[in-house]
Amino acid sequence: MPSSPKIRFRDTQIEMAHGAGGKASRRLVEGLIVPLLGGPLTGPLGDAAPVNMNGTRLAITTDSFVVKPLRFPGGSIGELAVNGTVNDLAVSGARAETLVVSFILEAGLPTEVLEQEVRALAAAAQRAGAAIAGGDTKVVEHGKADRMYITSCGIGRPIEGVEVAPASVRPGDRILISGPIGDHGITILLARGELDLEADLCSDTRSVLPLVEAMAAAAAPGIRWMRDPTRGGLATSLNELALDCGLGIYLAEEKIPVRDTVRGACELLGLEPMHIANEGQFVAVVAPEFADAALAALCAAPGGQDAAMIGEVRETPAATVLAGTAYGGTRVVDMLVGDPLPRIC
Amino acid sequence: MRFVDEFREPELITKAAHEIRRLADPRRHYRLMEICGGHTHAIYRFGLNDLLPPNIELIHGPGCPVCVLPMGRIDDGLSMTQDPNVIFTAFGDMMRVPGTQGSPLEYKARGADVRIVYSPADALKLAQSNPDRHVMFFAIGFETTAPSTALTLMRARAQGVRNFYVFCNHVTIIPAIRAILESPEMRLDAFIGPGHVSTVIGCRPYEWIARQAGKPIVVSGFEPLDLLESIMMVLRQLNDGRAQVENQYKRAVLGEGNRAALKAMADVFEPRPFFEWRGMGFIAQSALRLRECFAEFDAELRFRIPGIRVTDPKAAQCGEVLTGALKPNQCRLFGKECTPEQPVGALMVSAEGSCAAYYSYEHRKAALTVLAPAL
């Protein structure tokens, strides 16, 4: 008889923080879900899983969307459901080819709302060059769900020459970001209208595949690792990398692109821009000899003009992300703890 | 961003740091307490300790309202959620603070109607849009937030709202400073005075600190340059042998404070004879309660409050950390049983809590070997 898997998750109930993408999410996934479904962890958890079908290498991923409100400046849940899955594949070094989508609908949802979202989904899939091959629809009683939720699943083929893994990250590697951070999370926060704050800001939701491809064309052998910093933000993605590779990540704070509106909202609300969700950016670790070419390719690609080199990998402090200021002060940048902004995607 | 970037200008900050190193007498050890939790957060957030010479020690004071609240008051507040007709509202800071049976967020996960509000006025609005529910606002904060609670109560009365209640935990800063100065183990050289509190109370209430206790105090803003300039001003006083109240935060703080806010507070609140502070015990005249003319809004009168007194877990040393006797990482539980994710004490929860700030921004820096930015 196989020995029973070791469950390390001890929390007695599920709370919003377990879905926030930060520390609690990691504990839940690694402490309960992975041991029961996948046995002992054989490697770090990525955004998509590699599968080998009779010698054909593929990548597969799935993601659920529960964003509130359904529509927000710059996008909607239908668009997110495609872009989120396409991006998870892209940062795993794969080009999305086929998607399937499932809808969970609350009785009473106006058909018009559903139609808008299905249209948004179709348009986003077309832009991303992915086919929607199937799906499912369930309806629950009024009051048992919040209007609509979408789950999407995607399969992709490898982008030529791109091999990403935390284990290949080395001291001296550079950290690149594809554009300004925090737009999506702050847009959603403001769109809820609870704050009496207004700002001219849009979600950044988009497929990052064209940017990843542009970077790969210029620097594929130098790309070590990529991630799309959604829930938990840039800080959480880089902390996961630091834990997975055991090295230190040093960020030059003033180089990280953040729009003034996002900075202003964060200052007012006591939030850290590096903890805010993005839906159309990715962070990459690139070997130093390829870093300039990678950045130039990103900046030259449409929508990549704000890409920046924001830091480097160092030997120490081990498994830690550190931000330095232009005047020589430093601080540790931790993962997101708790859930300041629930249901962001 | 205006009013922020000017105070984070690297060149000016570097200059200020040089000036501090010049002013600091290498034969002396300076122990400065920043009273306000907002300052503690900023010091760690901007890595200011890295810029100071080793003989300037910043001690974190008790100015984090969530941190000084005893656990029993949290239990008392949450006890009201047993009535399913109650909507419990509080600032986001409160939501993860543990009571004996869990934090407000854990109560929410178990089905209690717990909601985050961004101001007491939002809680009042909630009461007006839910006339058949009781809306309770868990009020916390120093003189910074007390005026907005006062104004909200005045509005509730003027508009005849009958289903809005305040569970008042407002505290006042001066008695806490007095308690720290009277504590026998305290050896402080000077204070960095709170910025936001002083926008309300002004600078005059600190005069006795300079005159009677003989300690310099400089009221400070919250940006890196503000704090460095305040440290410079404190060092100059100490080097000259002066003890005065000085105001670095002139762009926000007037000497006499905000008269309208003070009047609203005086109209609505009166001092409690005693109030318990976590880790510091009972301090006379250190907290506010609603005056009798606002009794109909007083949650402590409207609901049956058990009046729970809970002693902190024995191993936790929140009190010593709150009064500056211990550094956060010197507590037995720090980073082991007590982390921001699973906090034992409130100091590990609030962004203004010194333990949370230290844990988030500082404690793993110990392993750091290279400081200079390479990029």
Side-chain angles (χ1 to χ4, degrees), chain A residues 11 13 15 23-24 27 195 250 253 263-264 267 311 314 316-317 319 322 326-327 329-332 334 337, chain B residues 1 5 8 10 13 44-47 50-51 96 106 110 118 341-342 360-361 364-365 368-369 373-375:
Chain A
D11 301 12
Q13 63 184 6
E15 283 164 35
K23 275 191 185 176
R27 275 194 300 110
L195 287 177
Y250 180 89
E253 188 161 35
R263 274 182 68 201
E267 286 290 334
R314 293 183 178 177
T316 56
L322 212 58
Y327 45 84
T330 55
R331 67 187 162 99
V332 171
D334 207 351
V337 170
Chain B
M1 208 173 3
D5 290 340
R8 296 182 187 175
I13 290 172
Y44 287 121
R45 164 83 176 72
F46 298 110
D50 295 341
L51 308 183
R96 293 178 52 251
E106 286 165 312
R110 293 196 288 259
Y118 297 92
E341 211 196 346
Q342 282 171 329
S360 302
Y361 295 139
R364 280 177 291 171
K365 271 165 69 176
L368 187 68
T369 50
L375 293 155

Side-chain angles (χ1 to χ4, degrees), chain B residues 174-192:
Chain B
I174 298 294
I177 301 176
R178 198 179 291 278
I180 285 169
L181 279 169
E182 284 168 359
S183 135
E185 68 260 40
M186 192 39 57
R187 287 165 297 120
L188 289 173
D189 295 302
F191 291 98
I192 308 289

